[in-house]
C-alpha cells in the first residue's frame, strides 16, 4: 500500500499516476475490460445463435432476451448480501470461470449434437445470473483495493473500459458471426471471460471483509439491512429514486425513439445504427471528464448539471424532420451528448455511493440501487409503446423525454446537490491494506 507521502506529487496535488502503478488495480482493469467484451458480445451472439441455427421466431427471441435479463431482478439483492461476506476476487473469478465453461460447453454441444432452444434458455439464464455476481462484486471490489481519494479515477478507468466494450462489442460480435459459425462465435465470447479469469485471479491484495460468525445472519435479514441502510441515507436514497426515475423514463423514451427514427424520420437501419453508436464515444469522453470535473467544480454541481444536460438533450429530437439534411448529424450529436453526460453521472454517482457506504455494506448498497433502478424498466418500455399507439411517436417522445428530467430534479432537491469538491467516508470505515 502506498505511504501517505506517495499519494501526492511534489507540487502537493494528488498524483494521478499512483493508481496505475498499483498492479492489483491494473489486473482488475484488464479483467473488467475482458469481462465486458465477453458480456457485450454474448448479449447478441446468443440471440444470433437462436436465429441462425435454431431459426427462432420473434416471440422466441424475445423470451430468450427476457430470460437472460431476469437474474437482475431475481438475484441482485441476494447477491449483494453474499458479496459483503466474501472476497470479491473469489466471486469474480468464479463468475468468469462459470461463464467461460458454460459458453464453451454450449459451443461443443452445438457443434456435435445440436443445441435446442430449451438448453439455450438455460444457458442464457446461467450466464445472466453469473453476470449479476460479477457486476455486483466488481462494484464493491474497487473500495477494497484502492484508497478512497482514488475512487473517482478508478471508477473513471473501469467505466471507460465498459464504454470501450460497448463500442467494440457490436463490431466484434458482427465479425465473429460473419466469419465463424454460430457455435464457434459462442465459444469465442467465452474466451474473453477466460482472459478475465486469468487476470483477476492474480490479484493478491488482502481484502478487508467482516469476520464470519459461527451463526451468520440469515440472508433475508442481511437484505433488509441493505434496504434500510440505503433508505436511511439521504444521498443514497436520492440516488435510488433518481435512478428509478431515469431508468423508467429512459426505457419509455427508447421504445418510442426506436419507432420514431425509422417511421417518422424514414431512416435506414444503417443510419439508425450509426446514430445509436455515437453514444459509445460520448461515454468514453464522459469517463475521462469524471476523473477531473468533480474535484474541480464539486460533486453536486457536476451531478445536477450533467444529468440535466444528458437527459434534456432528447427534447430536441421531436423537432427533427426527415426532409432536413441536418437530421442525421443532429441525431449523432444528441446521442454523443447523452453518452457523455450520462456516463459522467454514472461514474460520479458510483464514487459517491462507494465513499459514503461502509465497506461492510458495499455489495448490498450496490445491489439495492441496481434492483430499484432497473426494476421499473419493463414498465417503462410498456408505457412507451402504449403512448406511441395512443398519441403518436412525436408527441410521446416529447412527453417521455420530459419525464427524464425528473431525475435531475430529484437530485437538485436533495443533499446530493450540495456535495463539494471532496467526499468524506463515514467514521470507522475501513481502508485497504497492503
Amino acid at each position: 500500500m502506498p505511504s501517505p507521502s506517495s499519494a501526492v506529487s511534489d507540487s502537493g496535488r494528488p498524483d494521478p499516476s499512483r493508481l496505475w502503478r498499483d498492479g492489483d488495480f491494473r489486473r482488475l482493469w484488464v479483467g473488467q475490460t475482458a469481462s465486458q467484451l465477453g458480456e457485450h458480445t454474448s448479449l447478441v451472439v446468443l440471440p444470433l445463435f437462436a436465429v441462425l441455427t435454431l431459426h427462432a421466431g420473434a416471440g422466441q427471441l424475445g423470451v430468450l432476451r427476457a430470460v437472460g435479463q431476469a437474474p437482475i431482478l431475481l438475484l441482485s439483492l441476494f447477491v449483494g448480501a453474499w458479496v459483503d461476506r466474501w472476497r470479491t476476487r473469489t466471486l469474480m473469478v468464479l463468475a468468469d470461470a462459470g461463464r467461460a465453461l458454460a459458453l464453451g460447453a454450449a459451443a461443443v454441444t452445438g457443434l456435435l449434437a445440436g443445441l435446442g432452444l430449451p438448453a439455450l434458455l438455460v444457458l442464457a439464464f446461467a450466464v445472466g445470473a453469473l453476470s449479476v455476481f460479477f457486476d455486483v462484486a466488481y462494484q464493491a471490489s474497487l473500495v477494497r483495493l484502492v484508497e478512497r481519494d482514488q475512487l473517482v479515477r478508478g471508477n473513471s478507468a473501469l467505466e471507460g473500459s465498459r464504454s470501450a466494450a460497448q463500442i467494440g462489442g457490436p463490431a466484434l460480435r458482427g465479425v465473429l458471426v460473419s466469419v465463424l459459425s454460430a457455435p464457434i462465435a459462442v465459444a469465442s465470447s467465452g474466451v474473453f471471460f477466460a482472459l478475465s479469469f486469468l487476470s483477476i485471479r492474480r490479484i493478491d491484495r488482502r481484502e478487508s471483509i467482516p469476520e464470519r460468525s459461527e451463526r451468520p445472519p440469515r440472508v433475508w435479514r442481511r437484505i433488509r439491512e441493505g434496504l434500510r441502510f440505503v433508505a436511511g441515507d439521504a444521498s443514497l436514497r436520492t440516488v435510488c429514486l433518481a435512478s428509478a426515475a431515469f431508468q423508467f423514463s429512459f426505457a419509455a423514451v427508447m421504445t418510442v425513439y426506436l419507432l420514431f427514427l425509422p417511421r417518422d424520420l424514414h431512416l435506414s437501419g444503417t443510419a439508425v445504427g450509426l446514430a445509436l453508436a455515437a453514444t459509445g464515444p460520448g461515454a468514453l469522453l464522459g469517463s475521462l471528464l469524471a476523473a477531473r470535473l468533480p474535484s474541480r467544480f464539486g460533486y453536486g454541481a457536476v451531478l445536477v448539471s450533467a444529468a440535466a444536460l444528458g437527459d434534456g438533450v432528447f427534447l430536441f429530437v421531436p423537432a427533427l424532420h426527415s426532409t432536413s439534411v441536418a437530421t442525421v448529424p443532429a441525431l449523432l450529436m444528441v446521442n454523443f451528448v447523452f453518452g457523455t453526460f450520462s456516463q459522467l453521472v454514472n461514474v460520479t454517482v458510483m464514487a459517491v455511493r462507494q465513499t459514503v457506504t461502509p465497506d461492510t455494506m458495499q455489495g448490498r448498497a450496490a445491489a439495492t440501487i441496481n434492483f430499484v433502478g432497473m426494476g421499473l424498466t419493463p414498465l417503462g418500455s410498456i408505457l412507451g409503446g402504449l403512448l406511441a399507439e395512443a398519441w403518436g411517436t412525436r408527441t410521446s417522445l416529447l412527453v417521455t423525454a420530459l419525464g427524464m428530467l425528473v431525475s435531475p430534479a430529484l437530485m437538485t432537491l436533495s443533499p446530493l446537490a450540495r456535495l463539494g469538491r471532496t467526499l468524506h467516508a463515514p467514521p470507522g470505515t475501513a481502508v485497504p491494506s497492503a
Side-chain angles (χ1 to χ4, degrees):
M1 187 76 176
S3 64
S5 61
S6 68
V8 295
S9 61
D10 293 339
S11 63
R13 296 178 179 178
D15 182 5
S17 66
R18 175 166 57 98
L19 184 68
W20 291 103
R21 292 199 301 268
D22 186 332
D24 283 329
F25 174 78
R26 292 199 304 269
R27 296 178 189 112
L28 176 64
W29 182 84
V30 170
Q32 156 71 358
T33 302
S35 178
Q36 287 299 314
L37 281 171
E39 188 168 336
H40 284 286
T41 54
S42 64
L43 283 174
V44 168
V45 166
L46 290 182
L48 286 179
F49 183 97
V51 172
L52 299 176
T53 304
L54 304 180
H55 308 290
Q60 293 173 317
L61 194 59
V63 170
L64 176 63
R65 288 178 57 84
V67 167
Q69 296 166 345
I72 297 175
L73 293 177
L74 296 177
L75 300 177
S76 290
L77 294 178
F78 296 97
V79 172
W82 290 323
V83 164
D84 285 332
R85 296 186 57 79
W86 290 86
R87 190 180 181 190
T88 56
R89 169 191 174 276
T90 301
L91 290 173
M92 289 188 289
V93 165
L94 291 176
D96 280 331
R99 289 184 290 186
L101 290 174
L103 291 170
V108 172
T109 304
L111 288 172
L112 298 180
L115 191 68
L117 186 59
L120 198 60
L121 291 172
V122 173
L123 174 66
F125 185 86
V127 172
L130 291 168
S131 294
V132 171
F133 274 92
F134 184 94
D135 291 342
V136 174
Y138 111 80
Q139 289 184 52
S141 66
L142 189 64
V143 180
R144 302 181 188 178
L145 290 178
V146 305
E147 295 179 12
R148 289 183 179 260
D149 66 339
Q150 294 291 308
L151 282 178
V152 174
R153 294 186 182 278
N155 280 311
S156 174
L158 291 175
E159 289 301 308
S161 71
R162 183 192 292 268
S163 302
Q166 290 174 342
I167 298 171
L172 183 59
R173 66 198 175 211
V175 171
L176 290 175
V177 175
S178 300
V179 176
L180 307 173
S181 66
I184 298 299
V186 171
S188 299
S189 297
V191 170
F192 290 110
F193 294 126
L195 292 175
S196 179
F197 167 85
L198 293 174
S199 180
I200 292 177
R201 70 185 296 269
R202 296 179 59 233
I203 295 175
D204 54 15
R205 182 165 300 168
R206 189 185 184 93
E207 294 183 24
S208 175
I209 58 176
E211 295 182 2
R212 297 190 185 94
S213 59
E214 294 183 3
R215 297 186 62 183
R218 294 179 181 273
V219 66
W220 283 109
R221 177 183 169 187
R222 295 180 60 77
I223 289 174
R224 286 196 299 271
E225 290 173 351
L227 291 170
R228 282 198 300 268
F229 173 76
V230 172
D233 185 278
S235 295
L236 295 183
R237 184 170 63 247
T238 303
V239 168
C240 244
L241 294 174
S243 176
F246 169 78
Q247 294 294 349
F248 176 79
S249 299
F250 182 63
V253 165
M254 287 307 295
T255 300
V256 183
Y257 189 53
L258 293 175
L259 292 171
F260 179 74
L261 297 186
R263 291 185 181 179
D264 291 62
L265 301 185
H266 306 291
L267 297 182
S268 66
T270 301
V272 172
L274 179 64
L276 296 176
T279 304
L284 278 178
L285 176 60
S287 296
L288 296 175
L289 293 176
R292 297 182 178 276
L293 295 186
S295 59
R296 182 172 182 178
F297 298 104
Y299 285 81
V302 168
L303 276 175
V304 172
S305 59
L309 290 170
D311 297 349
V313 73
F314 273 101
L315 291 173
F316 293 98
V317 177
L320 298 177
H321 294 275
S322 60
T323 56
S324 174
V325 295
T327 295
V328 172
L331 287 172
L332 289 171
M333 183 56 64
V334 165
N335 284 281
F336 180 82
V337 170
F338 171 74
T340 299
F341 290 107
S342 63
Q343 184 73 330
L344 177 55
V345 171
N346 289 341
V347 176
T348 307
V349 161
M350 189 175 294
V352 171
R353 175 187 61 75
Q354 290 173 337
T355 301
V356 304
T357 303
D359 291 351
T360 57
M361 198 66 69
Q362 287 288 338
R364 281 170 286 177
T368 299
I369 293 172
N370 289 347
F371 176 80
V372 175
M374 297 298 294
L376 296 179
T377 299
L379 296 179
S381 297
I382 294 172
L383 176 64
L386 293 175
L387 291 178
E389 289 182 354
W391 296 347
T393 54
R394 195 176 297 273
T395 301
S396 299
L397 189 56
L398 178 61
V399 171
T400 53
L402 284 171
M404 291 178 65
L405 294 177
V406 173
S407 180
L410 290 172
M411 292 184 188
T412 302
L413 299 173
S414 77
L416 283 177
R418 297 189 292 274
L419 292 176
R421 290 182 291 180
T422 58
L423 296 175
H424 302 285
T429 299
V431 296
S433 58

